[in-house]
Amino acid sequence: MPANIGYATPDASSPLAPLKFDRSPVGPEDVLIDIRYCGVCHSDVHQARDEFDGALATTFPCMPGHEIVGIVAETGSAVTQHSIGDRVGVGCLVYWGAEDQRGGTDEQYQNPPAVFTYNAPDPRTGEMTFGGYSDQIVVNEHFVLRIPDSLPLEKAAPLLCAGVTTWSPLRRWNVGTGQVVGVAGVGGLGHMAIQLAKARGAEKVIALTTTPDKKDEILRLGADEVVVMSDEEDAEAHAASLDFLLSTIPTPFDMNPYVSMVRTGGTLITVGMLEPTPPAGIDFAEVSTRRITVGGSLIGSVAETQEVLDFCAEHGITADVQVIPVQQSNEAYDQMVAKDVRFRFVIDNATLRTAGA
């Protein structure tokens, strides 16, 4: 009888449902974690519904989840960084991609990249990794993060992806004091980006949204202004006003109205996993004539993840979450697609005990 229980989907059109399985044995450098909560990321929806192509195409069954927090239940004989009972987290990565990468940095950009938490070949078994919609997970200790005591576990979970995915570009492009920062898309990632940019000392944070009824909540998060992009007059009033624009929008969109809001010499970075050919390409005449930098960023390194956890603890920043039982995960997916979430669903993994009964 399999020892573990999780929620997985057998194919792109089926709902998530209970799946019994066995986690790999705990190796010398591994940590076994009893999962308490797992955030629901928009990329989970894409992956479970096989909406990515190429290397990210889904292998089924698929068990999502890479915003994982819990308690250390067992450690391998060579583990030195973590002890039984520690509050810990796991983000998007769980193992080294190759032996010669050990000790390296920017694990997500190595070739091959470090092993993703789910839907990636497990280097020890050759089977596909299963994520955090489950009762336990086994992870190499390098990829296990310390959760500061001041952060409630359920509110810390989204920091493992949404937090570090927005923190990494803010850090790399040295966004902060004296700058006017735009955040496009105010969902799970965007609501973290607003708080992080403000805490980093941005002179002004302007949220760009297509959902007018979010305005009061966005201002509560610390944004100085909210621009509803369907209001052309308001958008035009902010033309060439942003030093840095971080787009967290997860689906293809017309970037040109957003490019027009970046000032000469400014930067637009996207963290959304967009399809290769969005409906409307970027007008590079405008990009060139105003020397705008356009780039992208992928999740964050292990070091950056620990950094953002510690920064959030220091500044009293947490995610706004709606805790749900795992049985509501399919409904949560539909609500995310419909933009009906404030601002991150988080699964209470204790509910798995009844899910598989």
Side-chain angles (χ1 to χ4, degrees), residues 5-7 17-19 35-38 40 132-136 322-330 346-357:
I5 180 72
Y7 244 47
L19 176 68
I35 303 175
R36 298 291 176 82
Y37 298 96
C38 183
V40 181
Y133 294 11
S134 55
D135 56 347
Q136 294 181 317
Q322 297 180 45
V323 178
I324 60 170
V326 70
Q327 294 89 340
Q328 291 180 12
S329 53
N330 293 297
V346 172
I347 294 169
D348 178 355
N349 288 55
T351 57
L352 280 161
R353 299 191 192 106
T354 57

Side-chain angles (χ1 to χ4, degrees), residues 263-285:
R263 64 179 45 163
T264 299
T267 300
L268 186 158
I269 301 297
T270 178
V271 294
M273 298 292 284
L274 305 179
E275 296 173 7
T277 52
I282 293 175
D283 179 359
F284 275 93

Side-chain angles (χ1 to χ4, degrees), residues 15-152:
L16 295 157
L19 176 68
K20 293 182 179 180
F21 69 105
D22 288 312
R23 286 291 183 190
S24 301
V26 177
E29 298 180 355
D30 293 338
V31 175
L32 172 66
I33 301 167
D34 286 337
I35 303 175
R36 298 291 176 82
Y37 298 96
C38 183
V40 181
C41 181
H42 206 286
S43 60
D44 295 347
V45 182
H46 288 313
Q47 201 77 73
R49 297 178 177 178
D50 198 17
E51 295 172 348
F52 290 137
D53 293 321
L56 293 177
T58 306
T59 299
F60 293 100
C62 175
M63 185 178 295
H66 55 207
E67 294 181 342
I68 301 165
V69 291
I71 305 297
V72 174
E74 183 182 343
T75 59
S77 59
V79 170
T80 60
Q81 301 175 42
H82 306 283
S83 302
I84 293 174
D86 285 355
R87 291 158 42 97
V88 294
V90 178
C92 300
L93 307 169
V94 288
Y95 286 103
W96 296 106
E99 285 299 310
D100 61 3
Q101 295 174 354
R102 288 175 175 269
T105 58
D106 286 334
E107 297 88 349
Q108 74 277 34
Y109 296 123
Q110 293 174 347
N111 187 20
V115 178
F116 290 111
T117 306
Y118 68 92
N119 197 59
D122 187 316
R124 299 177 306 166
T125 67
E127 298 177 353
M128 300 302 285
T129 53
F130 281 174
Y133 294 11
S134 55
D135 56 347
Q136 294 181 317
I137 193 166
V138 178
V139 183
N140 180 280
E141 72 165 331
H142 173 80
F143 299 93
V144 179
L145 291 307
R146 294 177 290 99
I147 304 295
D149 290 340
S150 63
L151 296 178

Side-chain angles (χ1 to χ4, degrees), residues 69-337:
V69 291
I71 305 297
V72 174
E74 183 182 343
T75 59
S77 59
V79 170
T80 60
Q81 301 175 42
H82 306 283
S83 302
I84 293 174
D86 285 355
R87 291 158 42 97
V88 294
V90 178
C92 300
L93 307 169
V94 288
Y95 286 103
W96 296 106
E99 285 299 310
D100 61 3
Q101 295 174 354
R102 288 175 175 269
T105 58
D106 286 334
E107 297 88 349
Q108 74 277 34
Y109 296 123
Q110 293 174 347
N111 187 20
V115 178
F116 290 111
T117 306
Y118 68 92
N119 197 59
D122 187 316
R124 299 177 306 166
T125 67
E127 298 177 353
M128 300 302 285
T129 53
F130 281 174
Y133 294 11
S134 55
D135 56 347
Q136 294 181 317
I137 193 166
V138 178
V139 183
N140 180 280
E141 72 165 331
H142 173 80
F143 299 93
V144 179
L145 291 307
R146 294 177 290 99
I147 304 295
D149 290 340
S150 63
L151 296 178
L153 286 179
E154 70 276 15
K155 294 186 176 184
L159 303 182
L160 279 303
C161 176
V164 72
T165 298
T166 52
W167 172 262
S168 183
L170 292 174
R171 181 181 186 277
R172 178 170 180 78
W173 277 272
N174 197 29
V175 174
T177 305
Q179 292 183 307
V180 179
V181 178
V183 175
V186 189
L189 274 69
H191 96 284
M192 292 305 310
I194 290 169
Q195 297 179 81
L196 292 172
K198 198 68 178 176
R200 286 179 62 90
E203 177 183 320
K204 184 182 290 187
V205 176
I206 301 176
L208 314 178
T209 183
T210 58
T211 311
D213 64 3
K214 284 185 179 180
K215 185 171 182 178
D216 289 343
E217 292 171 282
I218 293 171
L219 292 172
R220 176 181 57 79
L221 291 168
D224 297 285
E225 294 182 41
V226 178
V227 176
V228 178
M229 294 303 291
S230 58
D231 185 338
E232 294 183 8
E233 185 175 333
D234 194 11
E236 289 174 3
H238 289 81
S241 64
L242 305 176
D243 296 295
F244 183 89
L245 173 54
L246 181 63
S247 172
T248 69
I249 300 171
T251 52
F253 66 103
D254 182 0
M255 282 192 175
N256 290 305
Y258 297 83
V259 170
S260 70
M261 301 178 78
V262 180
R263 64 179 45 163
T264 299
T267 300
L268 186 158
I269 301 297
T270 178
V271 294
M273 298 292 284
L274 305 179
E275 296 173 7
T277 52
I282 293 175
D283 179 359
F284 275 93
E286 183 170 15
V287 168
S288 299
T289 55
R290 294 200 289 116
R291 199 176 60 194
I292 294 171
T293 298
V294 178
S297 182
L298 176 68
I299 56 175
S301 68
V302 172
E304 287 172 327
T305 308
Q306 189 62 63
E307 191 175 64
V308 74
L309 286 165
D310 294 340
F311 182 88
C312 286
E314 179 184 353
H315 293 271
I317 296 172
T318 57
D320 275 24
V321 304
Q322 297 180 45
V323 178
I324 60 170
V326 70
Q327 294 89 340
Q328 291 180 12
S329 53
N330 293 297
E331 291 84 351
Y333 277 17
D334 292 337
Q335 287 180 250
M336 290 172 65
V337 172

